[in-house]
Amino acid sequence: MKRKTFIKQLGYGSGATLFLPSALLVGGCSHTPVDRTALTEVDVPFLDDLGETIIPSTPTVPGAKATAIGEYIVLMYNDCMSQEDKAILVKGINELDRRSAQMFEKSFLDATPEQRLQLLEAVQTEAHTYQLEMEGEEAADAHYFQILKGLVLTGYFTSEIGMTQAREYLPVPGKYVACMPYAPKDKVWAL
Amino acid sequence: MNINGKVAKENTYDAIVIGSGISGGWAAKELCEKGLKTLVLERGRMVKHIEDYTTATMNPWEFKHRGAIPQNIKEENPVVSRCYAYNEATEHFFVKDKEHPYVQKKPFDWIRGYQVGGKSLLWARWTQRWSDLDFEANAKEGIAVDWPIRYKDIAPWYSYVEQFAGISGNKDGLAQVPDGEFLPPMEMNCLEKHVQKTLKNLYDDRHLVISRTANLTVRHNGRGPCQYRSLCNRGCPFSGYFSSNAATLPAAEATGNMTLRPFSVVQSILYDKDLGKATGVRIMDTNTKEVMEYHAKIIFVNGSTLNSTLLLMNSKSDRFPNGMGNDSGELGHNLMDHNYNCKVEGEYEGFEDTYYSGRRPTGTYLARFRNFGNDSQSHFKRGYAYACGGSRAPFSDVSETAIGLPLKQDQTQLGPWKFGFSGMGECLPYHENKISLSNDKTDEWGMPLLEFDAEYKENERAMAKDMVQTAMEMLDKMKFKNITDKKESRNIGLNIHEMGTARMGRDSKTSVLNGHNQVWGAPNVFVTDGACMTSSACQNPSLTYMALTARAADFAVNELKKMNL
């Protein structure tokens, strides 16, 4: 399926909210979604919670929020992303804000962890479907969730927590062991 | 008169070496050790071994952008931004496009390192020897001109430089990449050993070996050993790999015969028509913009392939109106790079209970088999090798669709073994692939800008196609899954093996240098970096530059003693 058809089909979900009068949305919930034109420091708590939903804390290893993932995303947004990707990401964050308001009648920050996961799992499925549709299309834009998830994974696994607690970091290995046993419970090396 | 005489004397050395990179460092070491008072001119800043490796021990999270290059810098410097080794941890060793412009008549990615040590700080350290398969190819096929040397001429010099540099490797007995003086080899991991064995069973000409590499597996000449951090491009605080900064320049320095002058752009080589040789160089100090002259009996030009040729082209005189050594009209022509437009990968089901530890700073090498031995190809000449490697990523395909706990779990467990092939193809020397001097544009240091007019041609494209097909075929025969062609596509130049433009040959009518790297018509000028190459082979070229440099330095000093220069 080509991109245009796919976007049309999105109409039942995210796309449709674009054309709803904002009064309707405001009337129906306690959260007014923000229509951002850029990501800024103000978005850090929202981005922290998005990150924590993607890489959550577990009993022994903190999640993305503990690595200040929101600060990292804003920094990368400001310094290291192309104009095209920045625009896609901002639009996507706005959409997540709107869909949270629509689905839960509250902001992503006020939603429960289960609700947050529910929303992002749905978006993950959409992103994956989109990716399959776009396969082989060289000029296809990335899906915003792909960009967001990529930022969270890179940010988390280049952080001290991600490298030294989630994985195992050897700053100076000292030797190369070419073959050694591995069991699924074993830690993996940080890259 | 008196004052001038004094200045001339103060500015006079036995030898001048232009450039301090991988070949310049060798020229400096050899000439100094043979007792010559040697001036080493480097256009860039000083980089002191260890002390100036400012990022060498930083952890990934200590970099502001965790290694990424900011977008505005990328946009201002698109060429260097395409280089695999350019990142936040290494960017201070790379030339920014914006600061050192050049003209691209056709796309050419020119990657440069202007500092003491040059790109020897940044190189990939793979050091396969060339063989007569390479030195005889032009003559056998009637392409370009014949190399004026054969393997027997360079073999002792390979041994000589290997023994000092420290090359780890295995004696594999392959004629196309002859064995050398090796330190113990690094080991192959489980999958690599499996592939080595499987290829041996399936084919009689596919030999996978551990790449011979200038990383030290044991302590050697007071350096190393390698600590398996694989952060070489930042400069190594353990002196675990060969660079000018770690090895040759300290050796030159220790003789007391070296004067190293950074911030010195050489504008031209001075020539005396009556003497029939060069007398010195004119330089500009990049800090003061002062122009001055230095004199010497012999001059080694090691400014990196294209800057060495730029210097010869800019050294015009009555005797050499079209550039020094250019009686043939070949100066600036026959520009080559390698062709790396092949990257193929597959997954292996098996060895799930095995892993490795430490970051090995090299890979495995599938030696050339095309147009060699019993193989004969009708669609292209010459051949290629593959850089190969087996590895396991700390995640699997699950990560593509998972979020939350399953994602975190997948990202902290090993994925399947993967094995990759990166093709490294020989490029032919074409007269029409060339650089020339801009007529109207100069840089801040008074040098004309270089114009690039070079491209891959049909032979390179046909070979790249075969590299991809053959790699996929081998993976399939070895029962790999999910075999993917990564559609690698690079501009010429980006493989950073630029060679040619002042080729060696057998006579002044068809070449710029003779069999001892002497400039035709200026016998006390030696060019021993990549500019001198007559063909490109498919091996990484730096070891050959080192050997040619040591050989030429020995010849030069002997000629000086015989009063021939």
Side-chain angles (χ1 to χ4, degrees):
Chain A
M1 182 166 45
K2 296 292 170 235
R3 182 148 182 261
K4 271 187 184 158
T5 351
F6 179 67
I7 286 171
K8 257 189 219 157
Q9 292 197 355
L10 263 183
Y12 67 86
S14 59
T17 58
L18 282 170
F19 308 106
L20 286 176
S22 56
L24 268 183
L25 285 170
V26 177
C29 69
S30 59
H31 171 63
T32 312
V34 181
D35 205 19
R36 295 162 191 77
T37 53
L39 288 189
T40 65
E41 284 297 312
V42 176
D43 300 309
V44 166
F46 184 15
L47 294 167
D48 273 343
D49 282 347
L50 285 168
E52 185 68 16
T53 309
I54 293 168
I55 302 272
S57 294
T58 39
T60 51
V61 182
K65 194 171 183 171
T67 70
I69 198 73
E71 294 279 356
Y72 168 80
I73 293 172
V74 172
L75 177 78
M76 295 307 280
Y77 174 86
N78 284 328
D79 290 2
C80 296
M81 286 173 64
S82 68
Q83 289 303 329
E84 297 78 37
D85 282 357
K86 281 166 89 160
I88 293 168
L89 184 61
V90 170
K91 230 174 126 186
I93 298 296
N94 287 339
E95 184 184 315
L96 288 172
D97 203 0
R98 268 197 305 273
R99 285 172 70 170
S100 180
Q102 201 183 26
M103 284 171 75
F104 314 124
E105 302 195 342
K106 50 189 158 188
S107 74
F108 194 83
L109 278 94
D110 293 329
T112 65
E114 292 72 26
Q115 287 174 323
R116 291 174 186 170
L117 189 60
Q118 186 197 344
L119 172 54
L120 292 197
E121 275 176 343
V123 175
Q124 165 70 76
T125 306
E126 290 164 21
H128 187 63
T129 311
Y130 173 79
Q131 232 171 307
L132 294 178
E133 301 298 337
M134 293 297 114
E135 217 158 275
E137 300 242 340
E138 278 177 29
D141 285 336
H143 190 281
Y144 74 86
F145 190 71
Q146 212 183 326
I147 297 174
L148 177 65
K149 187 173 163 182
L151 285 167
V152 172
L153 284 172
T154 308
Y156 183 75
F157 285 106
T158 53
S159 74
E160 189 167 5
I161 287 172
M163 292 197 76
T164 65
Q165 296 185 45
R167 292 177 182 158
E168 193 161 337
Y169 177 53
L170 284 182
V172 186
K175 59 180 179 173
Y176 179 66
V177 182
C179 290
M180 61 184 259
Y182 172 79
K185 62 173 174 35
D186 296 339
K187 276 201 174 177
V188 298
W189 306 123
L191 290 174
Chain B
M1 280 302 283
N2 207 5
I3 293 165
N4 284 344
K6 198 180 157 203
V7 168
K9 205 180 162 197
E10 277 177 0
N11 285 2
T12 298
Y13 295 81
D14 295 324
I16 291 172
V17 176
I18 300 163
S20 63
I22 214 154
S23 66
W26 270 101
K29 170 186 175 296
E30 295 305 300
L31 297 172
C32 286
E33 286 181 345
K34 290 173 193 293
L36 271 61
K37 294 285 176 196
T38 303
L39 174 68
V40 179
L41 296 167
E42 165 53 52
R43 68 175 298 151
R45 68 182 170 106
M46 184 64 198
V47 173
K48 289 204 178 105
H49 183 47
I50 302 179
E51 201 180 316
D52 288 335
Y53 304 155
T54 50
T55 58
T57 57
M58 284 171 69
N59 295 306
W61 58 87
E62 292 168 336
F63 291 92
K64 186 178 177 193
H65 302 99
R66 312 273 175 91
I69 295 288
Q71 186 68 11
N72 62 332
I73 297 178
K74 272 193 199 172
E75 281 166 12
E76 284 176 355
N77 304 285
V79 171
V80 70
S81 295
R82 286 194 280 271
C83 176
Y84 73 100
Y86 178 69
N87 59 51
E88 201 175 22
T90 59
E91 55 88 21
H92 49 290
F93 292 147
F94 284 90
V95 163
K96 309 288 176 292
D97 317 1
K98 205 189 164 194
E99 291 163 18
H100 295 274
Y102 60 97
V103 182
Q104 299 180 61
K105 289 183 164 173
K106 291 185 187 130
F108 189 97
D109 288 349
W110 190 17
I111 308 298
R112 295 157 286 171
Y114 291 168
Q115 62 254 325
V116 168
K119 296 198 296 291
S120 77
L121 288 164
L122 297 165
W123 67 311
R125 309 168 308 286
W126 285 34
T127 43
Q128 275 48 251
R129 285 187 181 198
W130 291 28
S131 75
D132 273 336
L133 178 65
D134 308 305
F135 292 113
E136 289 175 354
N138 280 3
K140 280 188 175 167
E141 295 164 0
I143 285 176
V145 295
D146 185 19
W147 276 90
I149 58 168
R150 288 293 181 263
Y151 181 67
K152 66 173 170 40
D153 299 307
I154 196 174
W157 296 102
Y158 275 137
S159 292
Y160 179 78
V161 296
E162 283 164 348
Q163 278 163 343
F164 177 78
I167 306 296
S168 61
N170 188 50
K171 287 191 188 273
D172 300 295
L174 301 174
Q176 66 275 52
V177 278
D179 292 335
E181 316 294 327
F182 297 144
L183 304 179
M186 291 185 188
E187 207 180 330
M188 293 189 191
N189 63 37
C190 313
L191 182 62
E192 289 164 348
K193 283 177 189 162
H194 170 76
V195 169
Q196 180 185 43
K197 210 166 65 190
T198 312
L199 286 174
K200 196 159 267 177
N201 291 337
L202 290 169
Y203 304 88
D204 55 13
D205 62 354
R206 309 289 161 92
H207 303 285
L208 187 73
V209 303
I210 191 81
S211 175
R212 292 83 187 260
T213 306
N215 282 73
L216 305 171
T217 44
V218 291
R219 193 155 175 82
H220 184 71
N221 290 335
R223 289 176 273 124
C226 172
Q227 298 296 305
Y228 300 93
R229 306 184 321 142
S230 202
L231 300 176
C232 313
N233 294 333
R234 300 179 184 183
C236 185
F238 303 97
S239 311
Y241 73 93
F242 176 86
S243 66
S244 296
N245 314 60
T248 44
L249 291 177
E253 176 82 37
T255 63
N257 288 329
M258 179 174 73
T259 303
L260 176 58
R261 193 183 200 289
F263 300 114
S264 306
V265 168
V266 181
Q267 296 178 324
S268 61
I269 299 170
L270 309 169
Y271 187 79
D272 186 314
K273 196 165 67 174
D274 299 328
L275 296 173
K277 60 187 182 183
T279 55
V281 296
R282 179 178 294 121
I283 74 153
M284 179 185 273
D285 183 301
T286 60
N287 291 318
T288 63
K289 299 279 163 92
E290 192 185 347
V291 174
M292 52 196 103
E293 291 182 1
Y294 290 96
H295 304 280
K297 293 173 205 143
I298 55 173
I299 296 168
F300 267 68
V301 183
N302 301 93
S304 81
T305 298
L306 301 168
N307 277 314
S308 286
T309 296
L310 166 62
L311 175 59
L312 293 179
M313 290 196 289
N314 203 43
S315 300
K316 290 174 182 162
S317 59
D318 291 346
R319 167 66 184 82
F320 293 117
N322 300 314
M324 182 171 277
N326 196 16
D327 293 347
S328 63
E330 292 295 334
L331 186 67
H333 292 268
N334 312 294
L335 171 56
M336 299 166 279
D337 183 20
H338 283 143
N339 184 346
Y340 281 18
N341 287 335
C342 160
K343 199 175 173 192
V344 172
E345 190 183 271
E347 281 179 20
Y348 190 74
E349 290 172 359
F351 301 112
E352 284 93 352
D353 55 352
T354 63
Y355 199 16
Y356 43 79
S357 169
R359 295 181 291 277
R360 191 186 60 195
T362 189
T364 54
Y365 184 86
L366 181 52
R368 176 174 162 185
F369 50 89
R370 285 296 184 226
N371 293 316
F372 173 61
N374 294 325
D375 185 88
S376 174
Q377 298 295 311
S378 55
H379 297 299
F380 61 90
K381 292 183 162 61
R382 313 286 166 100
Y384 53 84
Y386 291 107
C388 302
S391 61
R392 295 186 80 175
F395 52 83
S396 73
D397 286 351
V398 170
S399 284
E400 277 182 31
T401 49
I403 63 161
L405 288 174
L407 176 64
K408 190 177 184 186
Q409 194 187 4
D410 187 62
Q411 287 279 327
T412 50
Q413 279 187 0
L414 286 184
W417 278 96
K418 290 186 178 181
F419 195 86
F421 285 86
S422 293
M424 304 186 288
E426 174 163 2
C427 293
L428 295 175
Y430 302 101
H431 177 81
E432 58 272 31
N433 275 352
K434 66 176 195 291
I435 51 168
S436 52
L437 302 183
S438 169
N439 287 327
D440 52 352
K441 298 189 189 77
T442 55
D443 67 15
E444 269 183 65
W445 308 277
M447 298 296 282
L449 295 194
L450 273 186
E451 296 181 343
F452 286 73
D453 184 1
E455 63 187 1
Y456 293 134
K457 295 185 190 291
E458 190 43 44
N459 199 69
E460 289 71 38
R461 283 191 289 272
M463 189 192 291
K465 204 171 154 191
D466 186 67
M467 296 197 280
V468 173
Q469 275 171 0
T470 305
M472 296 185 86
E473 202 179 278
M474 283 190 278
L475 284 168
D476 186 53
K477 275 198 177 177
M478 293 191 288
K479 307 215 180 328
F480 276 74
K481 302 276 183 293
N482 293 331
I483 299 164
T484 22
D485 172 5
K486 300 283 184 182
K487 311 258 184 215
E488 187 73 3
S489 174
R490 302 182 184 186
N491 287 338
I492 186 168
L494 192 55
N495 307 305
I496 329 180
H497 290 165
E498 60 273 20
M499 283 178 265
T501 64
R503 71 182 175 199
M504 293 168 77
R506 294 182 182 270
D507 65 71
S508 64
K509 288 188 192 71
T510 59
S511 60
V512 180
L513 308 172
N514 71 12
H516 288 101
N517 298 75
Q518 288 174 290
V519 172
W520 292 114
N524 62 338
V525 180
F526 295 80
V527 182
T528 67
D529 60 17
C532 77
M533 305 301 271
T534 313
S535 68
S536 75
C538 64
Q539 295 90 320
N540 310 55
S542 294
L543 182 76
T544 301
Y545 307 161
M546 297 192 221
L548 287 173
T549 303
R551 177 175 175 268
D554 183 66
F555 174 83
V557 173
N558 284 335
E559 288 293 286
L560 262 187
K561 282 184 193 152
K562 292 184 208 155
M563 310 287 279
N564 287 343
L565 294 180

